[in-house]
Amino acid sequence: MVGLNALSKLFRKTIGPRIEALGLLPQRYYLHRALDALEKDDIDEAVRMVTLAGNDKKDARWRLVCQQVIFRCRVLASQHEKQLDRFETEMEIFGKPIELSDTYLRLQKAEERARDILRSYEMTLFNQLNGRKSDPVTAE
């Protein structure tokens, strides 16, 4: 006989993600998942969950979680900005040997891309928070 726990695990792994992606579950489920994702530093998932939960913009819990995700995006974007500044400083100090220059350029591009993604998430959530229409967030 199959236990109830095994059936619920099977449901969560097979049908659960499809239902979750449709936004049919209660808002508190998505908010809880967004907070769990923030705890794990999974910003993509947190933004996706807040976006799915954003059907009632006047709910104080949704606004609070949305503000927390925006704050985390800003903190991470500033960390990427500091890293970019550090790369530029090190390039000036150490000169520009070809091997080192290529490595730093690849790192700079990755940092810029991460910063830009975080800023787009921030703007998307900020627009939702203010009640403006915005494009849905897609994971890249």
PDB file of all heavy atoms in Angstrom, residues 60-88:
ATOM      1  N   ALA A  60      -1.065  43.831   2.521  1.00  0.00           N
ATOM      2  CA  ALA A  60       0.140  44.304   3.212  1.00  0.00           C
ATOM      3  C   ALA A  60       1.241  43.253   3.209  1.00  0.00           C
ATOM      4  O   ALA A  60       2.422  43.594   3.090  1.00  0.00           O
ATOM      5  CB  ALA A  60      -0.209  44.697   4.645  1.00  0.00           C
ATOM      6  N   ARG A  61       0.876  41.982   3.317  1.00  0.00           N
ATOM      7  CA  ARG A  61       1.898  40.921   3.310  1.00  0.00           C
ATOM      8  C   ARG A  61       2.610  40.870   1.967  1.00  0.00           C
ATOM      9  O   ARG A  61       3.831  40.746   1.907  1.00  0.00           O
ATOM     10  CB  ARG A  61       1.270  39.566   3.619  1.00  0.00           C
ATOM     11  CG  ARG A  61       0.856  39.412   5.064  1.00  0.00           C
ATOM     12  CD  ARG A  61       0.179  38.110   5.255  1.00  0.00           C
ATOM     13  NE  ARG A  61      -1.081  38.182   4.489  1.00  0.00           N
ATOM     14  CZ  ARG A  61      -1.981  37.237   4.410  1.00  0.00           C
ATOM     15  NH1 ARG A  61      -1.781  36.105   5.024  1.00  0.00           N
ATOM     16  NH2 ARG A  61      -3.090  37.390   3.726  1.00  0.00           N
ATOM     17  N   TRP A  62       1.837  40.964   0.883  1.00  0.00           N
ATOM     18  CA  TRP A  62       2.462  40.937  -0.443  1.00  0.00           C
ATOM     19  C   TRP A  62       3.394  42.121  -0.622  1.00  0.00           C
ATOM     20  O   TRP A  62       4.505  41.984  -1.118  1.00  0.00           O
ATOM     21  CB  TRP A  62       1.396  40.947  -1.539  1.00  0.00           C
ATOM     22  CG  TRP A  62       2.012  40.963  -2.896  1.00  0.00           C
ATOM     23  CD1 TRP A  62       2.468  39.885  -3.600  1.00  0.00           C
ATOM     24  CD2 TRP A  62       2.286  42.103  -3.700  1.00  0.00           C
ATOM     25  NE1 TRP A  62       3.012  40.293  -4.802  1.00  0.00           N
ATOM     26  CE2 TRP A  62       2.911  41.651  -4.881  1.00  0.00           C
ATOM     27  CE3 TRP A  62       2.065  43.471  -3.545  1.00  0.00           C
ATOM     28  CZ2 TRP A  62       3.306  42.508  -5.893  1.00  0.00           C
ATOM     29  CZ3 TRP A  62       2.463  44.329  -4.554  1.00  0.00           C
ATOM     30  CH2 TRP A  62       3.075  43.835  -5.707  1.00  0.00           C
ATOM     31  N   ARG A  63       2.945  43.304  -0.199  1.00  0.00           N
ATOM     32  CA  ARG A  63       3.770  44.501  -0.335  1.00  0.00           C
ATOM     33  C   ARG A  63       5.069  44.365   0.460  1.00  0.00           C
ATOM     34  O   ARG A  63       6.136  44.752  -0.013  1.00  0.00           O
ATOM     35  CB  ARG A  63       2.993  45.746   0.105  1.00  0.00           C
ATOM     36  CG  ARG A  63       1.811  46.054  -0.815  1.00  0.00           C
ATOM     37  CD  ARG A  63       1.064  47.301  -0.381  1.00  0.00           C
ATOM     38  NE  ARG A  63       1.860  48.502  -0.472  1.00  0.00           N
ATOM     39  CZ  ARG A  63       2.117  49.154  -1.608  1.00  0.00           C
ATOM     40  NH1 ARG A  63       1.638  48.704  -2.746  1.00  0.00           N
ATOM     41  NH2 ARG A  63       2.834  50.252  -1.609  1.00  0.00           N
ATOM     42  N   LEU A  64       4.987  43.800   1.649  1.00  0.00           N
ATOM     43  CA  LEU A  64       6.169  43.629   2.486  1.00  0.00           C
ATOM     44  C   LEU A  64       7.164  42.661   1.852  1.00  0.00           C
ATOM     45  O   LEU A  64       8.366  42.944   1.778  1.00  0.00           O
ATOM     46  CB  LEU A  64       5.772  43.139   3.879  1.00  0.00           C
ATOM     47  CG  LEU A  64       6.915  42.935   4.867  1.00  0.00           C
ATOM     48  CD1 LEU A  64       7.617  44.253   5.147  1.00  0.00           C
ATOM     49  CD2 LEU A  64       6.392  42.324   6.147  1.00  0.00           C
ATOM     50  N   VAL A  65       6.679  41.534   1.369  1.00  0.00           N
ATOM     51  CA  VAL A  65       7.562  40.553   0.726  1.00  0.00           C
ATOM     52  C   VAL A  65       8.153  41.148  -0.553  1.00  0.00           C
ATOM     53  O   VAL A  65       9.351  40.980  -0.826  1.00  0.00           O
ATOM     54  CB  VAL A  65       6.816  39.228   0.441  1.00  0.00           C
ATOM     55  CG1 VAL A  65       7.672  38.283  -0.386  1.00  0.00           C
ATOM     56  CG2 VAL A  65       6.413  38.565   1.747  1.00  0.00           C
ATOM     57  N   CYS A  66       7.351  41.867  -1.309  1.00  0.00           N
ATOM     58  CA  CYS A  66       7.839  42.507  -2.528  1.00  0.00           C
ATOM     59  C   CYS A  66       8.945  43.504  -2.198  1.00  0.00           C
ATOM     60  O   CYS A  66       9.984  43.543  -2.872  1.00  0.00           O
ATOM     61  CB  CYS A  66       6.681  43.197  -3.243  1.00  0.00           C
ATOM     62  SG  CYS A  66       7.104  43.840  -4.868  1.00  0.00           S
ATOM     63  N   GLN A  67       8.773  44.276  -1.156  1.00  0.00           N
ATOM     64  CA  GLN A  67       9.793  45.237  -0.745  1.00  0.00           C
ATOM     65  C   GLN A  67      11.064  44.532  -0.283  1.00  0.00           C
ATOM     66  O   GLN A  67      12.169  45.007  -0.547  1.00  0.00           O
ATOM     67  CB  GLN A  67       9.253  46.148   0.352  1.00  0.00           C
ATOM     68  CG  GLN A  67       8.213  47.118  -0.145  1.00  0.00           C
ATOM     69  CD  GLN A  67       7.503  47.851   0.972  1.00  0.00           C
ATOM     70  OE1 GLN A  67       7.722  47.588   2.150  1.00  0.00           O
ATOM     71  NE2 GLN A  67       6.637  48.782   0.614  1.00  0.00           N
ATOM     72  N   GLN A  68      10.912  43.389   0.381  1.00  0.00           N
ATOM     73  CA  GLN A  68      12.093  42.631   0.802  1.00  0.00           C
ATOM     74  C   GLN A  68      12.881  42.117  -0.401  1.00  0.00           C
ATOM     75  O   GLN A  68      14.106  42.156  -0.407  1.00  0.00           O
ATOM     76  CB  GLN A  68      11.688  41.453   1.688  1.00  0.00           C
ATOM     77  CG  GLN A  68      11.243  41.866   3.055  1.00  0.00           C
ATOM     78  CD  GLN A  68      10.747  40.678   3.877  1.00  0.00           C
ATOM     79  OE1 GLN A  68      10.396  39.637   3.339  1.00  0.00           O
ATOM     80  NE2 GLN A  68      10.715  40.854   5.186  1.00  0.00           N
ATOM     81  N   VAL A  69      12.186  41.653  -1.410  1.00  0.00           N
ATOM     82  CA  VAL A  69      12.858  41.151  -2.611  1.00  0.00           C
ATOM     83  C   VAL A  69      13.536  42.310  -3.348  1.00  0.00           C
ATOM     84  O   VAL A  69      14.675  42.176  -3.813  1.00  0.00           O
ATOM     85  CB  VAL A  69      11.876  40.394  -3.532  1.00  0.00           C
ATOM     86  CG1 VAL A  69      12.547  39.974  -4.828  1.00  0.00           C
ATOM     87  CG2 VAL A  69      11.318  39.162  -2.815  1.00  0.00           C
ATOM     88  N   ILE A  70      12.864  43.455  -3.443  1.00  0.00           N
ATOM     89  CA  ILE A  70      13.466  44.631  -4.075  1.00  0.00           C
ATOM     90  C   ILE A  70      14.728  45.041  -3.319  1.00  0.00           C
ATOM     91  O   ILE A  70      15.769  45.317  -3.926  1.00  0.00           O
ATOM     92  CB  ILE A  70      12.463  45.804  -4.140  1.00  0.00           C
ATOM     93  CG1 ILE A  70      11.361  45.508  -5.153  1.00  0.00           C
ATOM     94  CG2 ILE A  70      13.171  47.117  -4.487  1.00  0.00           C
ATOM     95  CD1 ILE A  70      10.229  46.510  -5.143  1.00  0.00           C
ATOM     96  N   PHE A  71      14.659  45.057  -1.999  1.00  0.00           N
ATOM     97  CA  PHE A  71      15.825  45.413  -1.193  1.00  0.00           C
ATOM     98  C   PHE A  71      16.984  44.453  -1.447  1.00  0.00           C
ATOM     99  O   PHE A  71      18.124  44.870  -1.634  1.00  0.00           O
ATOM    100  CB  PHE A  71      15.456  45.421   0.296  1.00  0.00           C
ATOM    101  CG  PHE A  71      16.626  45.682   1.195  1.00  0.00           C
ATOM    102  CD1 PHE A  71      17.164  46.950   1.303  1.00  0.00           C
ATOM    103  CD2 PHE A  71      17.195  44.654   1.928  1.00  0.00           C
ATOM    104  CE1 PHE A  71      18.248  47.200   2.128  1.00  0.00           C
ATOM    105  CE2 PHE A  71      18.284  44.887   2.748  1.00  0.00           C
ATOM    106  CZ  PHE A  71      18.812  46.162   2.856  1.00  0.00           C
ATOM    107  N   ARG A  72      16.680  43.165  -1.493  1.00  0.00           N
ATOM    108  CA  ARG A  72      17.731  42.173  -1.742  1.00  0.00           C
ATOM    109  C   ARG A  72      18.338  42.348  -3.135  1.00  0.00           C
ATOM    110  O   ARG A  72      19.547  42.216  -3.314  1.00  0.00           O
ATOM    111  CB  ARG A  72      17.162  40.763  -1.569  1.00  0.00           C
ATOM    112  CG  ARG A  72      18.189  39.686  -1.643  1.00  0.00           C
ATOM    113  CD  ARG A  72      19.105  39.748  -0.443  1.00  0.00           C
ATOM    114  NE  ARG A  72      20.074  38.684  -0.568  1.00  0.00           N
ATOM    115  CZ  ARG A  72      21.329  38.782  -0.211  1.00  0.00           C
ATOM    116  NH1 ARG A  72      21.769  39.872   0.348  1.00  0.00           N
ATOM    117  NH2 ARG A  72      22.142  37.784  -0.377  1.00  0.00           N
ATOM    118  N   CYS A  73      17.512  42.669  -4.115  1.00  0.00           N
ATOM    119  CA  CYS A  73      18.026  42.943  -5.468  1.00  0.00           C
ATOM    120  C   CYS A  73      18.967  44.142  -5.451  1.00  0.00           C
ATOM    121  O   CYS A  73      20.026  44.117  -6.087  1.00  0.00           O
ATOM    122  CB  CYS A  73      16.880  43.199  -6.441  1.00  0.00           C
ATOM    123  SG  CYS A  73      15.947  41.742  -6.911  1.00  0.00           S
ATOM    124  N   ARG A  74      18.582  45.180  -4.713  1.00  0.00           N
ATOM    125  CA  ARG A  74      19.442  46.368  -4.641  1.00  0.00           C
ATOM    126  C   ARG A  74      20.762  46.065  -3.948  1.00  0.00           C
ATOM    127  O   ARG A  74      21.818  46.539  -4.390  1.00  0.00           O
ATOM    128  CB  ARG A  74      18.711  47.490  -3.903  1.00  0.00           C
ATOM    129  CG  ARG A  74      17.619  48.104  -4.709  1.00  0.00           C
ATOM    130  CD  ARG A  74      16.901  49.192  -3.963  1.00  0.00           C
ATOM    131  NE  ARG A  74      15.853  49.752  -4.796  1.00  0.00           N
ATOM    132  CZ  ARG A  74      14.920  50.574  -4.349  1.00  0.00           C
ATOM    133  NH1 ARG A  74      14.914  50.942  -3.083  1.00  0.00           N
ATOM    134  NH2 ARG A  74      14.006  51.035  -5.171  1.00  0.00           N
ATOM    135  N   VAL A  75      20.723  45.283  -2.884  1.00  0.00           N
ATOM    136  CA  VAL A  75      21.955  44.923  -2.169  1.00  0.00           C
ATOM    137  C   VAL A  75      22.875  44.117  -3.086  1.00  0.00           C
ATOM    138  O   VAL A  75      24.077  44.397  -3.176  1.00  0.00           O
ATOM    139  CB  VAL A  75      21.630  44.135  -0.881  1.00  0.00           C
ATOM    140  CG1 VAL A  75      22.866  43.491  -0.291  1.00  0.00           C
ATOM    141  CG2 VAL A  75      20.965  45.043   0.139  1.00  0.00           C
ATOM    142  N   LEU A  76      22.329  43.132  -3.759  1.00  0.00           N
ATOM    143  CA  LEU A  76      23.150  42.313  -4.654  1.00  0.00           C
ATOM    144  C   LEU A  76      23.687  43.118  -5.826  1.00  0.00           C
ATOM    145  O   LEU A  76      24.845  42.944  -6.236  1.00  0.00           O
ATOM    146  CB  LEU A  76      22.356  41.109  -5.145  1.00  0.00           C
ATOM    147  CG  LEU A  76      22.068  40.044  -4.093  1.00  0.00           C
ATOM    148  CD1 LEU A  76      21.145  38.974  -4.661  1.00  0.00           C
ATOM    149  CD2 LEU A  76      23.349  39.427  -3.590  1.00  0.00           C
ATOM    150  N   ALA A  77      22.878  44.020  -6.374  1.00  0.00           N
ATOM    151  CA  ALA A  77      23.341  44.856  -7.488  1.00  0.00           C
ATOM    152  C   ALA A  77      24.481  45.761  -7.032  1.00  0.00           C
ATOM    153  O   ALA A  77      25.456  45.957  -7.776  1.00  0.00           O
ATOM    154  CB  ALA A  77      22.190  45.689  -8.045  1.00  0.00           C
ATOM    155  N   SER A  78      24.398  46.285  -5.817  1.00  0.00           N
ATOM    156  CA  SER A  78      25.495  47.125  -5.327  1.00  0.00           C
ATOM    157  C   SER A  78      26.758  46.301  -5.097  1.00  0.00           C
ATOM    158  O   SER A  78      27.869  46.795  -5.329  1.00  0.00           O
ATOM    159  CB  SER A  78      25.092  47.854  -4.042  1.00  0.00           C
ATOM    160  OG  SER A  78      25.023  46.966  -2.955  1.00  0.00           O
ATOM    161  N   GLN A  79      26.611  45.050  -4.685  1.00  0.00           N
ATOM    162  CA  GLN A  79      27.781  44.182  -4.537  1.00  0.00           C
ATOM    163  C   GLN A  79      28.432  43.926  -5.896  1.00  0.00           C
ATOM    164  O   GLN A  79      29.659  43.932  -6.008  1.00  0.00           O
ATOM    165  CB  GLN A  79      27.396  42.867  -3.884  1.00  0.00           C
ATOM    166  CG  GLN A  79      27.083  42.988  -2.420  1.00  0.00           C
ATOM    167  CD  GLN A  79      26.612  41.675  -1.807  1.00  0.00           C
ATOM    168  OE1 GLN A  79      26.405  40.692  -2.504  1.00  0.00           O
ATOM    169  NE2 GLN A  79      26.420  41.689  -0.498  1.00  0.00           N
ATOM    170  N   HIS A  80      27.633  43.721  -6.921  1.00  0.00           N
ATOM    171  CA  HIS A  80      28.178  43.525  -8.261  1.00  0.00           C
ATOM    172  C   HIS A  80      28.857  44.804  -8.763  1.00  0.00           C
ATOM    173  O   HIS A  80      29.891  44.735  -9.424  1.00  0.00           O
ATOM    174  CB  HIS A  80      27.086  43.083  -9.239  1.00  0.00           C
ATOM    175  CG  HIS A  80      26.638  41.674  -9.035  1.00  0.00           C
ATOM    176  ND1 HIS A  80      27.438  40.589  -9.279  1.00  0.00           N
ATOM    177  CD2 HIS A  80      25.467  41.171  -8.581  1.00  0.00           C
ATOM    178  CE1 HIS A  80      26.786  39.480  -8.999  1.00  0.00           C
ATOM    179  NE2 HIS A  80      25.578  39.808  -8.568  1.00  0.00           N
ATOM    180  N   GLU A  81      28.288  45.942  -8.423  1.00  0.00           N
ATOM    181  CA  GLU A  81      28.886  47.223  -8.814  1.00  0.00           C
ATOM    182  C   GLU A  81      30.246  47.401  -8.144  1.00  0.00           C
ATOM    183  O   GLU A  81      31.212  47.841  -8.784  1.00  0.00           O
ATOM    184  CB  GLU A  81      27.939  48.368  -8.432  1.00  0.00           C
ATOM    185  CG  GLU A  81      28.282  49.685  -9.070  1.00  0.00           C
ATOM    186  CD  GLU A  81      28.078  49.690 -10.560  1.00  0.00           C
ATOM    187  OE1 GLU A  81      27.083  49.133 -11.043  1.00  0.00           O
ATOM    188  OE2 GLU A  81      28.939  50.261 -11.246  1.00  0.00           O
ATOM    189  N   LYS A  82      30.342  47.055  -6.870  1.00  0.00           N
ATOM    190  CA  LYS A  82      31.631  47.138  -6.163  1.00  0.00           C
ATOM    191  C   LYS A  82      32.654  46.198  -6.781  1.00  0.00           C
ATOM    192  O   LYS A  82      33.835  46.527  -6.893  1.00  0.00           O
ATOM    193  CB  LYS A  82      31.441  46.810  -4.683  1.00  0.00           C
ATOM    194  CG  LYS A  82      30.750  47.890  -3.906  1.00  0.00           C
ATOM    195  CD  LYS A  82      30.548  47.481  -2.464  1.00  0.00           C
ATOM    196  CE  LYS A  82      29.714  48.508  -1.722  1.00  0.00           C
ATOM    197  NZ  LYS A  82      29.393  48.080  -0.349  1.00  0.00           N
ATOM    198  N   GLN A  83      32.204  45.027  -7.162  1.00  0.00           N
ATOM    199  CA  GLN A  83      33.101  44.062  -7.794  1.00  0.00           C
ATOM    200  C   GLN A  83      33.610  44.601  -9.132  1.00  0.00           C
ATOM    201  O   GLN A  83      34.789  44.441  -9.465  1.00  0.00           O
ATOM    202  CB  GLN A  83      32.379  42.725  -7.996  1.00  0.00           C
ATOM    203  CG  GLN A  83      33.255  41.597  -8.408  1.00  0.00           C
ATOM    204  CD  GLN A  83      34.129  41.084  -7.286  1.00  0.00           C
ATOM    205  OE1 GLN A  83      34.053  41.528  -6.159  1.00  0.00           O
ATOM    206  NE2 GLN A  83      34.993  40.151  -7.612  1.00  0.00           N
ATOM    207  N   LEU A  84      32.742  45.237  -9.891  1.00  0.00           N
ATOM    208  CA  LEU A  84      33.155  45.847 -11.158  1.00  0.00           C
ATOM    209  C   LEU A  84      34.200  46.938 -10.928  1.00  0.00           C
ATOM    210  O   LEU A  84      35.194  47.028 -11.663  1.00  0.00           O
ATOM    211  CB  LEU A  84      31.949  46.434 -11.892  1.00  0.00           C
ATOM    212  CG  LEU A  84      31.061  45.444 -12.628  1.00  0.00           C
ATOM    213  CD1 LEU A  84      29.767  46.106 -13.062  1.00  0.00           C
ATOM    214  CD2 LEU A  84      31.790  44.877 -13.818  1.00  0.00           C
ATOM    215  N   ASP A  85      33.990  47.752  -9.903  1.00  0.00           N
ATOM    216  CA  ASP A  85      34.963  48.795  -9.575  1.00  0.00           C
ATOM    217  C   ASP A  85      36.306  48.182  -9.180  1.00  0.00           C
ATOM    218  O   ASP A  85      37.361  48.684  -9.553  1.00  0.00           O
ATOM    219  CB  ASP A  85      34.443  49.680  -8.446  1.00  0.00           C
ATOM    220  CG  ASP A  85      33.262  50.533  -8.860  1.00  0.00           C
ATOM    221  OD1 ASP A  85      33.071  50.734 -10.079  1.00  0.00           O
ATOM    222  OD2 ASP A  85      32.527  51.002  -7.964  1.00  0.00           O
ATOM    223  N   ARG A  86      36.247  47.096  -8.438  1.00  0.00           N
ATOM    224  CA  ARG A  86      37.480  46.421  -8.029  1.00  0.00           C
ATOM    225  C   ARG A  86      38.231  45.871  -9.240  1.00  0.00           C
ATOM    226  O   ARG A  86      39.457  45.968  -9.323  1.00  0.00           O
ATOM    227  CB  ARG A  86      37.173  45.291  -7.052  1.00  0.00           C
ATOM    228  CG  ARG A  86      38.412  44.829  -6.297  1.00  0.00           C
ATOM    229  CD  ARG A  86      38.139  43.678  -5.388  1.00  0.00           C
ATOM    230  NE  ARG A  86      38.738  42.531  -6.085  1.00  0.00           N
ATOM    231  CZ  ARG A  86      38.242  41.330  -6.124  1.00  0.00           C
ATOM    232  NH1 ARG A  86      37.122  41.062  -5.527  1.00  0.00           N
ATOM    233  NH2 ARG A  86      38.850  40.371  -6.777  1.00  0.00           N
ATOM    234  N   PHE A  87      37.504  45.306 -10.195  1.00  0.00           N
ATOM    235  CA  PHE A  87      38.144  44.797 -11.408  1.00  0.00           C
ATOM    236  C   PHE A  87      38.853  45.921 -12.161  1.00  0.00           C
ATOM    237  O   PHE A  87      39.976  45.756 -12.625  1.00  0.00           O
ATOM    238  CB  PHE A  87      37.132  44.125 -12.338  1.00  0.00           C
ATOM    239  CG  PHE A  87      36.624  42.802 -11.848  1.00  0.00           C
ATOM    240  CD1 PHE A  87      35.371  42.362 -12.226  1.00  0.00           C
ATOM    241  CD2 PHE A  87      37.378  41.996 -11.014  1.00  0.00           C
ATOM    242  CE1 PHE A  87      34.888  41.141 -11.789  1.00  0.00           C
ATOM    243  CE2 PHE A  87      36.904  40.780 -10.574  1.00  0.00           C
ATOM    244  CZ  PHE A  87      35.661  40.355 -10.962  1.00  0.00           C
ATOM    245  N   GLU A  88      38.171  47.057 -12.291  1.00  0.00           N
ATOM    246  CA  GLU A  88      38.774  48.188 -13.000  1.00  0.00           C
ATOM    247  C   GLU A  88      40.031  48.679 -12.282  1.00  0.00           C
ATOM    248  O   GLU A  88      41.047  48.966 -12.920  1.00  0.00           O
ATOM    249  CB  GLU A  88      37.763  49.316 -13.140  1.00  0.00           C
ATOM    250  CG  GLU A  88      36.644  49.015 -14.107  1.00  0.00           C
ATOM    251  CD  GLU A  88      35.605  50.119 -14.173  1.00  0.00           C
ATOM    252  OE1 GLU A  88      35.900  51.238 -13.709  1.00  0.00           O
ATOM    253  OE2 GLU A  88      34.504  49.846 -14.684  1.00  0.00           O
TER     254      GLU A  88
END
